[in-house]
Amino acid sequence: MWVAPKRSVHMLLIDFHTFGGSKRAKILWTCVVFATFWVLWWERNQRLFEDKFREVDCLWDHVCHLSSFWASGNSLFKGVPLFLLARDWLAVCAL
């Protein structure tokens, strides 16, 4: 089981291998890290300034969507349909 680091700066330094050691896996992990920060920042602002909030599963879905979308723009994912990338990260990184 993987546990997130206590400090967010340490998350940037993680060399995560669950997706594999491929170049695609590194790109995808980078997108996941930055999408997580983006979604949390956005959610924080929604809660503070607009008194709105989303459930954790909705936030995770948003992270997955953004990560897949951003990764799909990289040339290493050329020819991989976005729906496939969003549905199965492990399979796409193993290709």
Side-chain angles (χ1 to χ4, degrees):
M1 176 158 83
W2 181 74
V3 177
K6 290 183 180 182
R7 297 182 52 109
S8 58
V9 71
H10 294 144
M11 188 131 174
L12 295 171
L13 303 173
I14 292 174
D15 190 12
F16 197 70
H17 294 288
T18 296
F19 297 145
S22 69
K23 290 181 181 179
R24 279 185 176 177
K26 291 176 184 176
I27 294 296
L28 184 56
W29 176 245
T30 301
C31 290
V32 169
V33 170
F34 286 112
T36 300
F37 288 135
W38 178 269
V39 168
L40 290 176
W41 173 79
W42 187 85
E43 181 67 16
R44 172 200 168 271
N45 286 345
Q46 290 293 311
R47 290 180 182 205
L48 285 175
F49 303 120
E50 297 185 29
D51 201 29
K52 297 179 183 176
F53 71 95
R54 295 182 293 175
E55 298 296 326
V56 173
D57 56 340
C58 183
L59 296 175
W60 176 245
D61 288 344
H62 197 92
V63 168
C64 293
H65 173 77
L66 280 177
S67 301
S68 300
F69 182 70
W70 291 344
S72 71
N74 188 286
S75 62
L76 290 173
F77 290 93
K78 185 176 181 178
V80 177
L82 181 58
F83 79 90
L84 179 61
L85 177 57
R87 188 174 64 205
D88 196 348
W89 287 347
L90 294 176
V92 169
C93 288
L95 295 176

